[in-house]
Amino acid sequence: MIDVLVVDDDFRVAEINAKYVGKVPGFRVAARAHSAAQALAAVERGTIDLVLLDHYLPDRTGLELVHLMREQGHGTDVIMITAASDVTTVQRAMRLGALHYLVKPFTFAALRTRLDSYAALRRTVDRVGGRGLTGQEQVDRIFGALRTSPAPSAPGLPSGHSEPTTDLICGVLHRAEHPLSAHEVAAETGLSRSTAQRYLRHLEQAGRLRLSLRYGDTGRPEHRYAWVAP
């Protein structure tokens, strides 16, 4: 599980963001904070993997907090979630190492996309780090894991299909290094296998995915899906 610290001076907003995090498989809210001092104390306890950080806090700005964390040697990952959208603040966030920057107001799908890409980054680093970097390809794989631009879902969704779920599945296939089965897509997204299969079938028929068959010992082929670049 990835332990998340939700930081926002608005108690109501912090609660909403925490509920969003709790809906994403593989993530859990370890703590909430409503000031920079509370957030720093939580980070210093050493149990936080990721901070979802507002910029406007009562005692110091979010970016001042990130700067202080880095000065004190805390390498905890940060995703900014804030209404601050001026170029200077965004640039400073990048320079301080924020992995994503999400502007309020945002949807659950937008946050989930960022969290999914963060989880993909951690998996990629674990895989590559286990054998050490061997070249540009592995470096590109690490940086590519953070991309959050899956191609748009097919127009004219069938009844019972939602755009956020379609985008979620598209994002998983877009980042995948090889074709995935419905079971693997379900595991990555937290959806049921039958739901994943239904969306995959529609996306394949719409030309967004390429279907291939893999034959095993049972003689019954496994359907595997790969992203088709636009």
Side-chain angles (χ1 to χ4, degrees), residues 4 32 35 66 164 176 191 193 195:
V4 179
R32 298 176 182 81
S35 68
V66 178
L191 300 169
R193 186 185 182 283
T195 298

Side-chain angles (χ1 to χ4, degrees), residues 58-78:
D59 46 351
R60 66 174 76 226
T61 68
L63 292 186
E64 288 172 345
L65 172 60
V66 178
H67 182 71
L68 181 60
M69 287 167 51
R70 301 306 183 233
E71 278 190 332
Q72 297 184 1
H74 300 297
T76 311
D77 293 320
V78 173

Side-chain angles (χ1 to χ4, degrees), residues 16-65:
I16 292 172
N17 291 350
K19 287 181 178 179
Y20 278 173
V21 172
K23 293 168 63 177
V24 181
F27 290 82
R28 64 185 174 194
V29 176
R32 298 176 182 81
H34 307 291
S35 68
Q38 291 176 358
L40 184 60
V43 170
E44 287 176 338
R45 288 195 288 270
T47 60
I48 303 299
D49 300 307
L50 174 67
V51 181
L52 300 186
L53 181 60
D54 187 18
H55 182 57
Y56 298 117
L57 300 173
D59 46 351
R60 66 174 76 226
T61 68
L63 292 186
E64 288 172 345
L65 172 60

Side-chain angles (χ1 to χ4, degrees), residues 61 65 104 107 109 131 147 217:
T61 68
L65 172 60
K104 296 178 181 176
T107 64
R131 57 181 181 274
R147 293 174 186 154
D217 297 335

